């Protein structure tokens, strides 16, 4: 009996996970039999955006070579919001690099809504302007929807006019909002499978979350970037425990809510694709300085995801690149509203 017990003990000693996980190889390294953790592939938005801008540049050169003037983008900036000014600067810089001419029209935050609408109408009627956008947000005394709808649909390179929104929701040709457009292009160029997959969009803003949900679920027959995915939208009133239920079953998670570390590693499954649209400024305890982070716990989630976008360097550059693509399309009169 004692010999049988000893034999069983030796078998446990040889085979038990507890033993194997603590056994050191002859080279001194720890022999570990647990599930091997992997690092997600980083979707490099900077490199991809550069590629798209070069494509637009070549398209502009071909357009000009045929005798057309370069495309022109007009940007209206109201007030002195530093973040808005930074975004506008990035857009005009990208336009210049792509061969697109641009102008930034600065107006004080005290301008009335009526005066702003008059300016937009003037630019709408200017044949020398192909693309037109009013940088958001606008001052509190203005109605954002009124301002967005004032931009002529054929010049609405932000894709915010209700006509463009309605058309792409109905699978009609239209300008797509630049950020959702950029996200979907990232997914397409990375080769991520979306057909029949479970996609969860966290955030329901009319400029990002809602358009993303529409593009994710829409039939690919209507546009190459549409995804044919089974899509769920979560928002501020989705109970926390239910949010986790949705994210744990998701093959693709896109987060755009503005809450640091909203999505953590314990909320996702192995192999998930994570696109982080969030931009948040937080204090870095190591340096005592502010730094940019997204809505996803990058360090933790990247240990389980198959693909993930960084912040910064992910979706942001793609937004600007797709705006250039929209401006080129506007110059060509690619969409008709007649």
């Amino acid at each position: 009996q004692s010999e049988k017990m000893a034999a069983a003990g030796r078998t446990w000693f040889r085979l038990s996970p507890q033993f194997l996980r603590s056994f050191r190889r002859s080279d001194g390294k720890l022999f570990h039999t647990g599930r091997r953790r992997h690092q997600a592939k980083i979707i490099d938005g900077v490199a991809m955006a550069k590629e798209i801008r070069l494509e637009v540049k070549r398209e502009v050169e071909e357009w000009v070579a045929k005798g057309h003037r370069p495309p022109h983008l007009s940007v209206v900036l109201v007030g002195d919001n530093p973040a808005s000014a930074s975004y506008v600067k990035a857009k005009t810089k990208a336009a210049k690099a792509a061969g697109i001419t641009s102008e930034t029209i600065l107006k004080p935050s005290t301008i009335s809504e009526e005066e702003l609408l008059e300016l937009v109408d003037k630019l709408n009627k200017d044949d020398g302007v192909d693309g037109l956008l009013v940088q958001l947000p606008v001052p509190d005394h203005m109605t954002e929807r009124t301002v967005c709808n004032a931009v002529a649909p054929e010049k609405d390179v932000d894709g915010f006019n209700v006509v463009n929104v309605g058309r792409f929701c109905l699978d009609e040709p239209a300008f797509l909002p630049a950020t959702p457009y950029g996200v979907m292009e990232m997914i397409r160029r990375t080769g991520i499978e979306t057909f029949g997959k479970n996609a969860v969009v966290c955030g329901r803003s009319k400029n990002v979350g809602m358009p993303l949900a529409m593009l994710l679920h829409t039939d690919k027959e209507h546009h190459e970037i549409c995804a044919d995915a089974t899509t769920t939208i979560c928002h501020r009133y989705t109970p926390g425990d239910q949010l986790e239920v949705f994210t744990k079953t998701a093959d693709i998670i896109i987060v755009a809510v503005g809450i640091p570390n909203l999505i953590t590693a314990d909320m996702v499954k192995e192999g998930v694709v994570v696109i982080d649209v969030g931009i948040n400024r937080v204090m870095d305890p190591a340096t005592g300085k502010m730094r940019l982070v997204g809505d996803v716990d990058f360090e933790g989630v990247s240990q389980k995801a198959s693909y993930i976008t960084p912040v910064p360097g992910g979706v942001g550059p793609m937004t600007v690149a797709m705006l250039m693509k929209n401006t080129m399309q506007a110059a060509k009169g690619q969409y008709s509203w007649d």
Side-chain angles (χ1 to χ4, degrees), residues 1 13 18-19 25-26 31 47 54 74 118 138 140 172 206 290 312:
Q1 182 70 20
F13 187 75
Q18 291 93 330
F19 168 69
R25 303 183 323 207
S26 59
F31 182 81
L54 287 174
S74 291
E118 288 176 356
V138 292
D140 292 340
E172 295 291 332
K206 297 299 181 285
M290 301 299 290

Side-chain angles (χ1 to χ4, degrees), residues 12 19 31 90 103 131 136 138 163 178 183 203 214 223 233 265 319 321 326:
W12 179 91
F19 168 69
F31 182 81
E103 63 176 336
L136 302 179
V138 292
V163 173
V183 169
M214 295 299 300
H223 198 295
I233 300 178
T319 297
N326 277 350

Side-chain angles (χ1 to χ4, degrees), residues 132-202:
L132 170 60
L133 68 89
V134 179
Q135 182 65 40
L136 302 179
V138 292
D140 292 340
H141 64 275
M142 298 181 185
T143 304
E144 183 177 293
R145 175 46 47 201
T146 300
V147 173
C148 290
N149 287 344
V151 177
E154 65 273 16
K155 297 188 178 187
D156 176 34
V157 289
D158 258 342
F160 292 163
N161 183 292
V162 69
V163 173
N164 279 312
V165 175
R167 284 177 66 90
F168 90 74
C169 284
L170 294 173
D171 303 325
E172 295 291 332
F175 288 114
L176 302 176
T179 296
Y181 195 3
V183 169
M184 299 305 295
E185 188 69 7
M186 288 180 109
I187 291 173
R188 186 182 74 83
R189 292 190 181 225
T190 305
I192 294 167
E193 180 58 59
T194 60
F195 185 86
K197 300 296 184 180
N198 288 329
V200 170
V201 178
C202 298

Side-chain angles (χ1 to χ4, degrees), residues 12-24 31:
W12 179 91
F13 187 75
R14 287 196 302 270
L15 301 178
S16 73
Q18 291 93 330
F19 168 69
L20 291 175
R21 286 194 179 106
S22 61
F23 181 75
R24 290 192 178 277
F31 182 81

